[in-house]
């Protein structure tokens, strides 16, 4: 914003003595902070909803990694069927910390899928490379592999009418350096929006489309084939978490094309400001993988970014995703 308006800022005198306003105080030259930028200072950082009931964990050890997002889970054997008590505690930890890390789980693809099924049916995704079954997506980076790119902040499959509830990712091969993944808490992003922005987006909807995210590495012919299966959908710009009730930003660079009812230029400016919120480090957690590690994230509440800083080394990951609900 303008610190002083131009007509309040007299030119400096030849001897460079600071100019004065009518009341005798020194006048600052006109200067502006561009709209839509990120700001410094104190941020609201709370992992839970204000009315959330915290309870002790008895089945697992939960080790938070930041103030608002990410926790390492110890004491859970994911290769075996979950007891109701263990499933309840893992779900509570997921709701509280949005992404859970399990070191050295070393699951087979079947065990990985079996673990994810504790939260619902599994998705299939014809846009990505298939693993050992239709439900398993394989991300293989290397000189001979099909290129895909995930090094952009995004939420998975928001182009679906029912975007994924969550995803379970395991690293099979890890490069000698790099290849980390980052997640951002979109409830924290919403909590810290200026009032003027929240007033503009509460109740607004946006269109999501698979083509922008996949056009970078998919032929036009293949994209055209899938248009009927994945037509554009509308979702709220701010969704409500169905289990915690928290309000969260729900737009992303890969799939959100425009805000309904706005002129394209206005929509582009506002979306640019909203998607930039995932870039704030205070809302993020970063995970350095080892072979056999598992990350289980709440896709409703987060965005993520897979760093592509390890070429020409190989990185191989397998993911299963859980069918979600329609955002509201």
């Amino acid at each position: 914003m303008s610190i002083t308006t131009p007509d309040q800022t007299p030119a400096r005198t030849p001897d460079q003595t600071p100019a004065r306003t009518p009341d005798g105080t020194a006048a600052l030259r006109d200067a502006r902070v561009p709209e839509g930028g990120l700001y410094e200072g104190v941020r609201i950082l709370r992992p839970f909803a204000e009315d959330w009931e915290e309870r002790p964990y008895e089945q697992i050890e939960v080790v938070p990694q930041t103030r608002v997002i990410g926790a390492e889970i110890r004491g859970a054997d994911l290769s075996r069927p979950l007891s109701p008590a263990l499933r309840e505690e893992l779900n509570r930890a997921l709701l509280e910390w949005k992404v859970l890390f399990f070191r050295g789980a070393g699951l087979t693809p079947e065990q990985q899928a079996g673990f994810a099924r504790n939260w619902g049916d599994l998705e299939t995704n014809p846009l990505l490379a298939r693993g050992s079954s239709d439900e398993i997506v394989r991300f293989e980076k290397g000189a001979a592999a099909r290129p895909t790119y995930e090094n952009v902040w995004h939420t998975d499959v928001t182009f679906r009418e029912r975007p994924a509830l969550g995803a379970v990712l395991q690293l099979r091969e890890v490069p000698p350096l790099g290849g980390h993944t980052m997640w951002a808490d979109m409830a924290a992003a919403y909590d810290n929006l200026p009032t003027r922005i929240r007033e503009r987006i509460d109740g607004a909807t946006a269109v999501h489309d698979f083509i922008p995210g996949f056009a970078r590495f998919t032929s036009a012919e293949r994209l055209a084939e899938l248009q009927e299966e994945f037509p554009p959908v509308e979702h709220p710009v701010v969704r409500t978490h169905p289990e915690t009730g928290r309000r969260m930003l729900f737009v992303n660079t890969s799939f959100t094309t425009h805000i309904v009812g706005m002129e394209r230029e206005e929509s582009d400016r506002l979306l640019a400001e909203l998607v930039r919120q995932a870039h704030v480090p205070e809302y993020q957690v970063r995970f350095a993988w080892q072979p056999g590690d598992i990350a289980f994230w709440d896709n409703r509440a987060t965005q993520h970014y897979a760093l592509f800083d390890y070429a020409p080394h190989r990185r191989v990951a397998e993911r299963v995703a859980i069918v979600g609900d329609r955002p509201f």
Side-chain angles (χ1 to χ4, degrees):
M1 61 182 176
S2 178
I3 299 175
T4 57
T5 56
D7 60 353
Q8 293 175 312
T9 311
R12 282 183 179 245
T13 57
D15 64 358
Q16 298 299 299
T17 302
R20 300 281 164 175
T21 60
D23 65 1
T25 59
L28 294 175
R29 63 180 174 272
D30 184 60
R32 302 188 68 82
V33 175
E35 288 190 12
L38 297 174
Y39 62 92
E40 72 275 18
V42 177
R43 289 185 165 90
I44 300 167
L45 298 174
R46 55 187 179 94
F48 323 129
E50 291 179 328
D51 58 353
W52 185 259
E53 179 188 354
E54 289 188 69
R55 290 178 284 142
Y57 289 93
E58 299 178 355
Q59 304 287 319
I60 54 176
E61 182 183 2
V62 178
V63 184
Q65 304 296 291
T66 76
R67 284 280 303 277
V68 295
I69 183 171
E72 182 179 334
I73 303 299
R74 300 172 184 169
D77 183 354
L78 306 190
S79 68
R80 305 180 63 179
L82 303 185
S83 68
L86 179 54
R87 194 272 181 197
E88 186 278 327
E89 289 202 354
L90 288 173
N91 188 65
R92 180 152 49 92
L94 181 70
L95 297 178
E96 291 182 344
W97 296 104
K98 298 95 182 172
V99 55
L100 307 180
F101 305 117
F102 303 85
R103 288 288 189 187
L107 302 183
T108 67
E110 294 75 21
Q111 289 170 334
Q112 184 178 342
F115 170 70
R117 284 194 182 94
N118 285 284
W119 279 264
D121 295 332
L122 303 186
E123 287 185 347
T124 59
N125 192 328
L127 289 154
L128 296 171
R130 181 184 183 275
S132 58
S133 70
D134 288 343
E135 295 85 7
I136 296 172
V137 167
R138 186 173 175 87
F139 301 98
E140 183 175 348
K141 295 289 199 315
R146 173 196 173 199
T148 60
Y149 308 104
E150 299 83 42
N151 58 332
V152 63
W153 283 105
H154 67 286
T155 300
D156 285 339
V157 298
T158 61
F159 56 83
R160 291 184 185 266
E161 185 175 333
R162 297 171 63 194
L165 176 155
V168 179
L169 183 72
Q170 181 169 207
L171 264 286
R172 302 290 181 187
E173 292 186 41
V174 176
L177 286 174
H180 301 174
T181 305
M182 303 170 68
W183 286 264
D185 178 0
M186 302 317 293
Y190 177 75
D191 287 345
N192 286 279
L193 285 174
T195 301
R196 63 178 177 83
I197 297 296
R198 277 194 276 181
E199 289 175 348
R200 291 182 70 190
I201 63 176
D202 283 344
T205 60
V207 173
H208 295 244
D209 193 335
F210 81 100
I211 291 178
F214 284 92
R216 295 167 292 157
F217 51 82
T218 307
S219 70
E221 292 77 13
R222 181 60 176 152
L223 295 175
E225 290 172 5
L226 292 165
Q227 284 185 113
E228 268 192 50
E229 185 175 352
F230 299 112
V233 296
E234 289 186 22
H235 295 311
V237 173
V238 181
R239 77 172 292 180
T240 301
H241 197 289
E243 296 187 73
T244 68
R246 289 194 76 178
R247 303 272 280 162
M248 304 163 297
L249 270 183
F250 199 65
V251 293
N252 68 92
T253 299
S254 291
F255 305 122
T256 310
T257 61
H258 62 280
I259 297 175
V260 176
M262 285 189 182
E263 294 293 331
R264 181 54 62 109
E265 188 175 337
E266 179 187 8
S267 171
D268 286 351
R269 281 198 304 268
L270 182 54
L271 279 177
E273 184 165 359
L274 295 177
V275 300
R276 198 176 295 121
Q277 303 309 310
H279 295 233
V280 176
E282 286 93 336
Y283 313 155
Q284 299 170 1
V285 64
R286 179 167 176 156
F287 189 60
W289 295 93
Q290 298 172 8
D293 288 349
I294 289 276
F296 176 24
W297 68 89
D298 188 337
N299 195 60
R300 302 163 294 189
T302 60
Q303 291 191 34
H304 57 281
Y305 183 115
L307 277 72
F308 190 25
D309 57 355
Y310 48 86
H313 299 288
R314 277 170 56 83
R315 181 183 188 270
V316 180
E318 291 184 329
R319 187 193 74 196
V320 292
I322 304 150
V323 175
D325 63 333
R326 175 141 198 154
F328 62 91

